[in-house]
Amino acid sequence: TAVEQFQDTFGTRYYHILREKHGMNHDEAFSIAANFICRDGCRSPMQWRSAPNAGFSPAGVMPWLPINPDYTQGINVEDQRHDPDSMLHFFRRIVQVRQQNAALRHGSLRLIRNRGNVLAFWRETHDQKCLVAFNMSPHKRQFDLGEAGTRLVFSTVPAAREDPAGRLMLRPYEILVVETIS
């Protein structure tokens, strides 16, 4: 809880501004600087494997930022390579989906109005139109497309879909990408 531990000069500078110009005490200024301003938390060393310093640097060498201790619990590249349900595999799949669909790379973006815990938007090029939808709730959500039909491009729920034309059922916490078929 010492500002001297910040490596990010941006965080340190804002801590002092909060103290000197805004009259905050140490605890308030530190909390704001550490949690909202300082970038150290997003720049921690890469966790390569379950080894000293998460395999980022040899044992006995102190990295410039602390390493999250969760690297011993499977939050590292080596362990996630062997887990098809890991964040590493999810990231690789979603990058591949983006690379294979021009609308997701270059298409115009059109947000869809609030649909009750569903964030959704269209990405569209002259040749392709894709809907990206995130169900951010623990409940199924129905979503009307108003389109004739769709082709599944990606889903985080690995089960077959049988949805009526123009209507999708998003399962709890599902991320779904579909392409419209005319």
Side-chain angles (χ1 to χ4, degrees):
T1 62
V3 73
E4 293 77 29
Q5 292 178 323
F6 288 174
Q7 296 296 320
D8 181 17
T9 56
F10 194 64
T12 304
R13 185 171 350 133
Y14 267 80
Y15 167 82
H16 291 295
I17 289 170
L18 293 171
R19 290 291 312 264
E20 295 161 14
K21 297 196 182 207
H22 296 282
M24 290 186 181
N25 66 37
H26 166 76
D27 291 341
E28 292 173 312
F30 184 82
S31 178
I32 291 170
N35 294 312
F36 301 107
I37 307 295
C38 185
R39 299 168 292 183
D40 286 351
C42 1
R43 301 188 301 183
S44 66
M46 184 66 180
Q47 298 179 182
W48 291 107
R49 61 186 172 278
S50 186
N53 293 325
F56 180 79
S57 59
V61 174
M62 177 66 98
W64 79 297
L65 287 169
I67 296 173
N68 191 316
D70 65 1
Y71 73 91
T72 62
Q73 300 155 6
I75 310 298
N76 65 69
V77 174
E78 184 175 71
D79 289 352
Q80 290 194 11
R81 275 189 183 135
H82 306 292
D83 178 3
D85 295 325
S86 70
M87 184 58 72
L88 176 65
H89 281 273
F90 167 77
F91 183 76
R92 286 178 173 168
R93 284 192 313 268
I94 203 71
V95 166
Q96 183 179 31
V97 166
R98 186 174 186 275
Q99 289 172 341
Q100 293 172 348
N101 292 277
L104 299 176
R105 287 190 323 276
H106 307 293
S108 61
L109 174 70
R110 182 171 42 98
L111 292 173
I112 298 173
R113 286 183 155 216
N114 183 355
R115 299 279 183 147
N117 293 327
V118 174
L119 170 65
F121 55 89
W122 289 102
R123 294 291 311 262
E124 186 174 1
T125 63
H126 178 69
D127 299 322
Q128 186 182 40
K129 185 175 181 181
C130 291
L131 172 81
V132 180
F134 301 83
N135 181 1
M136 297 181 286
S137 81
H139 308 288
K140 288 183 178 180
R141 297 283 186 230
Q142 184 172 305
F143 194 87
D144 274 328
L145 289 172
E147 301 285 338
T150 61
R151 175 185 72 82
L152 178 65
V153 174
F154 176 83
S155 173
T156 54
V157 182
R161 313 193 79 76
E162 289 296 327
D163 296 315
R167 191 171 294 147
L168 293 173
M169 184 61 70
L170 293 168
R171 289 159 288 196
Y173 303 111
E174 180 176 17
I175 300 171
L176 180 68
V177 180
V178 294
E179 177 183 18
T180 61
I181 301 170
S182 6

